[in-house]
Amino acid sequence: MGATTIGALIGGAIDSMSGDDGAADGAIKGAIVANVLKITLPLVVTYAVGWAVLRGAAELKTAVFGSDNTDGERA
């Protein structure tokens, strides 16, 4: 079962709980949100992992080589 189908089912279920009308518009909104999350969530996770790796590399460089002065002064 794909993310779009699950999003449509969840959106339809949430929309039908209000009791106003059918669940079709909630299903459409749920499917759209699922598709947006399919695209943005991997990008966000990739950015966060890359940032953590770069941050860890900077900390490791500081630990190995000493102070992180970039203005030419010695520590």
Side-chain angles (χ1 to χ4, degrees), residues 12-20:
I14 291 172
D15 192 39
S16 68
M17 289 174 19
S18 66
D20 294 344

Side-chain angles (χ1 to χ4, degrees), residues 43-67:
L43 291 173
V44 169
V45 170
T46 302
Y47 179 82
V49 169
W51 179 83
V53 167
L54 288 175
R55 181 79 175 172
E59 292 292 325
L60 180 64
K61 181 186 133 206
T62 302
V64 170
F65 296 114
S67 180

